[in-house]
Amino acid sequence: MTPKALLDYLVYFHAKRDYFECHEVLEEYWKSLDSDQNRDVWVGLIQIAVGLYHQRRGNLAGAKKMLTAALTQLAPTELEQLGFAGDALRNEISKRVLDIEAGMSYTDLNLPLHLELAARCEKRCAAEGIHWLSATDFSDTFLIHKHKLRDRSDVIAERNRRLTKRNQSE
């Protein structure tokens, strides 16, 4: 069974090109897993999204670091079990690292999926009225710079709540 978080990730990745949200949904899922479950594949997928987010913003060093790290986390057999074309995905990421080293600018990347998973994603996009395999809208500054522009009031409130609680217990 495909976790909802993976479908969310793939829709954000391929239809919205919102790599920041890819990171958010998979990080939440990854953290919910028991420590004895294989979590490397989830970390690798998160690193792909973060790497592409960095590359699109021109942070080539950060992009290379994240994508190279992703390759160490992503085993082809685990990717296959999730519905990815495992070897093809790893080859695409390796090629992207070489492109970054050559100073090439960002282009959208489509992760190689098996037909069944791709069809499920396309169906979900159709239901949401969005286009599967869309292109990045570079005029959307919020999408490009989301880590700086998003509303963090809930994160700050939670951080302050924990700090108050810790101070009260001391």
Side-chain angles (χ1 to χ4, degrees), residues 3 78 83 92 131 149:
E78 292 168 355
E92 287 295 322
H131 182 70
L149 303 175

Side-chain angles (χ1 to χ4, degrees), residues 4 26 52 57 71 81 128 147:
K4 179 185 180 304
L26 272 196
L52 293 176
R57 295 187 71 251
L71 288 169
Q81 291 169 351
E128 293 181 24
H147 77 287

